[in-house]
Amino acid sequence: MRVTVLKGPEIAYAEAETCLVIPVYERDFPLMSNALVNEDELILQALFDKEVFLGKTGEAYCLPRPTGPYKAVLIVGLGKKEACSAEALRRAAGVAAELFRKHRVTHVYLDASHHPEWPVTAFLEGIVLGQYDFDVYKKPEPDSPAPIKVQDLTILVSNTADGAALQQEAQLAVLICLSANGARHLANTAPNEMNPSALAAFAQGIADESGCECTILDEMQMASLGMNALLGVARGSAQPPKFIVLRYHYRDDARTIAIVGKGITFDSGGISIKPAENMHEMKYDMCGAAAVLCTMLSIVEFKPKLNVVCVVPSSENMTGDAAQRPGDIVKAYNGTTIEILNTDAEGRLVLADALAYTVDKYKPDAIVDLATLTGSVVVALGHYAAGVLGNNEALITSLCETGEKTGERLWHLPLWEEYERLIDGTHADVANIGPRGEAGVITGAAFLKRFVGDTPWAHLDIAGTAWGAKNVPYLSDKHASGFGVRLLVHWLLSQQEPS
Ligand code: BES
Ligand code: MN
Ligand code: ZN
């Protein structure tokens, strides 16, 4: 999608399927748009007077204008002016994107000229995310034309706006959302195809295109490094596990931040097998991996002033005859022995080795992990926020603030000493689960904490937000959400050295 910023009244609606879009606050009529022709202004005013359209959240009205300068006018509701935020614009854009698809709109003029207060790029985000579809496995519908997307978007701004800055910000926003869509695509892909080797190949592809460094450890190399927690999980699967490291290097003396993503490409639960209902959703158990890998798509493009190490421990969790048993004890990379009480608590096992290895090998200044770790976080927060836990308040606060801006909410949960005791091992240093029904999201994090040492660390449990978004117009509930990509990219950019 090409984005252009345009000032002043000179608008040339040359293209065929142009749609003029006017976002509207609730009951904020008459409309202010210099782009509208008089007659349309009257029609839209009538819609308001008759209460057909009031500008409420979720409302939209598309008026086709076959003979006009633009082929349609679309008004979208932003809800109450006082409550308007970037997220309101993003959601309104999601509603608009659905109508663009229906009306086969390819060119959009967005009138923001009377509203310098709008974070316009959020609207672009809503469109790029809202237009995502996943239809690679379906044969095209025989009698309907192929779906099309918006190719050109022109933002109309006031004469006093900083057009160049907005243009750059817009380009950035589009790119970041395309990275998020990349993560959604990896996650949606069927698990018979999206296995650890496929994730590794994807990472290698990023390295090949960008020139950054990619290292992929195989089973033998992992064994000689002592990554037995990860290898224990992989034992039940015919698919070989992969330990993926992708590094963007800025300068030796710059800060290094590590992002680590759980890459279980299918989680059957292993011997502690899951119920059949919804088990297919466990193809999404690599959403943490998808998020950190696709974050790197933007990072290699933007080349920020910091070093970023992206780490993905990837395996399937299956029930083959060599599968790990409940009762097994394994020794992780950092020497900690782990008593496996439930083979379904496998995410923390692969992350244990990944976190310990990352801290030891790359000595990052901070480490953030993303994982679909527990069903418990869904019980606690539903699909509206990810849980965030860690050992560093400042790190957690800065992540929460970024999440608020990007509409990827994080909620800070405690990690008090008492919780840490819940996973003390009976026959080993630590057990891989705590007492049933007690603060599962926290005991999951308490387990991970034992593998990060003193490194500032935050853990995002994204099990509730990685797919099945509820009532978010720019995200379909049938697909992965790409949660974490926009958050991580924006947060990483905020961590750069001051220039
Ligand atoms: N991948 C699951 C977590 C999960 C469950 C994500 C449901 C999304 C929806 C994870 O590996 C898991 O199975 N966790 C267990 C841990 C338990 C055995 C301590 C869980 O949450 O039930
Ligand atoms: Mn599991
Ligand atoms: Zn899992």
Side-chain angles (χ1 to χ4, degrees):
M1 188 170 81
R2 249 192 322 272
V3 181
T4 317
V5 175
L6 203 62
K7 285 186 184 180
E10 297 307 320
I11 304 167
Y13 299 103
E15 305 84 0
E17 291 309 322
T18 297
C19 177
L20 172 64
V21 181
I22 309 173
V24 189
Y25 290 131
E26 190 169 330
R27 295 182 187 272
D28 193 27
F29 270 77
L31 284 180
M32 297 217 286
S33 173
N34 303 337
L36 270 179
V37 298
N38 279 347
E39 193 193 344
D40 292 344
E41 221 170 303
L42 291 175
I43 297 172
L44 297 175
Q45 183 64 43
L47 288 174
F48 176 71
D49 294 341
K50 292 186 158 70
E51 306 207 349
V52 176
F53 176 91
L54 292 171
K56 292 185 180 174
T57 306
E59 274 187 341
Y61 196 96
C62 188
L63 180 69
R65 299 298 288 133
T67 58
Y70 32 78
K71 299 304 164 205
V73 189
L74 174 66
I75 43 178
V76 278
L78 293 176
K80 294 210 162 40
K81 187 172 184 172
E82 317 81 73
C84 189
S85 59
E87 185 62 10
L89 275 168
R90 220 174 270 125
R91 290 184 181 212
V95 175
E98 179 56 26
L99 286 162
F100 293 154
R101 190 187 58 75
K102 215 155 119 189
H103 291 265
R104 303 184 68 75
V105 170
T106 53
H107 291 67
V108 169
Y109 278 79
L110 170 66
D111 193 347
S113 53
H114 292 274
H115 293 280
E117 78 278 16
W118 285 345
V120 189
T121 52
F123 198 89
L124 306 186
E125 291 169 9
I127 291 177
V128 178
L129 295 168
Q131 291 196 108
Y132 172 80
D133 201 5
F134 184 73
D135 50 12
V136 288
Y137 294 105
K138 287 186 174 164
K139 57 172 163 311
E141 301 260 348
D143 294 321
S144 52
I148 48 174
K149 290 184 180 168
V150 175
Q151 296 157 13
D152 263 291
L153 190 141
T154 307
I155 310 170
L156 308 176
V157 295
S158 76
N159 278 316
T160 55
D162 184 345
L166 178 59
Q167 174 82 45
Q168 208 180 3
E169 210 190 310
Q171 225 77 51
L172 203 94
V174 169
L175 245 161
I176 296 173
C177 289
L178 291 175
S179 299
N181 286 349
R184 298 163 85 183
H185 186 82
L186 288 182
N188 291 330
T189 301
N192 51 331
E193 295 181 11
M194 190 43 64
N195 52 35
S197 304
L199 273 187
F202 180 79
Q204 187 65 58
I206 298 177
D208 293 346
E209 297 229 331
S210 65
C212 73
E213 177 196 304
C214 181
T215 314
I216 291 155
L217 306 180
D218 62 18
E219 256 170 309
M220 292 258 288
Q221 293 163 301
M222 286 186 254
S224 64
L225 284 165
M227 296 183 171
N228 301 307
L230 191 163
L231 290 171
V233 174
R235 286 175 61 92
S237 171
Q239 291 296 329
K242 300 286 171 193
F243 193 94
I244 304 161
V245 182
L246 196 55
R247 282 175 82 192
Y248 161 75
H249 189 78
Y250 167 57
R251 264 188 2 212
D252 284 343
D253 59 350
R255 259 161 69 79
T256 296
I257 292 182
I259 51 177
V260 180
K262 169 177 172 181
I264 298 295
T265 60
F266 186 73
D267 180 12
S268 72
I271 298 293
S272 315
I273 197 163
K274 288 184 180 294
E277 197 190 357
N278 296 334
M279 200 203 271
H280 62 282
E281 291 189 346
M282 284 298 116
K283 71 170 183 177
Y284 293 127
D285 216 12
M286 38 60 77
C287 282
V292 297
L293 286 172
C294 289
T295 291
M296 297 303 280
L297 287 173
S298 284
I299 293 302
V300 298
E301 196 70 38
F302 301 151
K303 303 189 175 42
K305 295 181 173 126
L306 81 169
N307 304 317
V308 184
V309 185
C310 168
V311 179
V312 170
S314 184
S315 171
E316 277 192 324
N317 187 23
M318 301 295 271
T319 57
D321 58 8
Q324 151 164 281
R325 292 150 291 254
D328 282 3
I329 293 176
V330 294
K331 187 184 269 186
Y333 177 85
N334 71 349
T336 301
T337 56
I338 306 168
E339 193 170 357
I340 313 295
L341 297 182
N342 188 317
T343 63
D344 198 12
E346 85 298 337
R348 61 198 72 185
L349 296 171
V350 301
L351 286 169
D353 281 335
L355 293 171
Y357 178 78
T358 302
V359 165
D360 180 43
K361 171 112 178 164
Y362 299 105
K363 310 204 170 11
D365 295 284
I367 183 164
V368 179
D369 80 74
L370 274 75
T372 47
L373 205 72
T374 68
S376 157
V377 79
V378 195
V379 176
L381 300 172
H383 300 280
Y384 305 101
V388 58
L389 307 95
N391 61 5
N392 186 294
E393 296 288 316
L395 173 61
I396 290 171
T397 304
S398 73
L399 286 163
C400 287
E401 283 169 4
T402 307
E404 201 58 48
K405 285 191 198 126
T406 64
E408 294 156 291
R409 281 200 172 125
L410 306 181
W411 197 255
H412 186 187
L413 295 165
L415 197 44
W416 294 310
E417 168 72 19
E418 287 87 336
Y419 294 111
E420 296 184 36
R421 297 282 68 79
L422 296 180
I423 49 158
D424 282 334
T426 308
H427 304 294
D429 299 327
V430 63
N432 82 327
I433 58 169
R436 195 184 144 89
E438 268 187 59
V441 53
I442 302 179
T443 50
F447 181 93
L448 300 179
K449 186 168 187 274
R450 300 202 182 203
F451 300 89
V452 294
D454 296 331
T455 305
W457 155 76
H459 158 65
L460 275 52
D461 193 334
I462 60 169
T465 51
W467 75 93
K470 299 277 178 293
N471 306 316
V472 183
Y474 58 86
L475 296 174
S476 117
D477 61 359
K478 288 194 278 297
H479 297 141
S481 64
F483 188 97
V485 175
R486 292 179 298 117
L487 171 83
L488 279 179
V489 176
H490 283 286
W491 181 74
L492 286 167
L493 295 181
S494 78
Q495 298 298 301
Q496 295 179 85
E497 289 182 354
S499 46

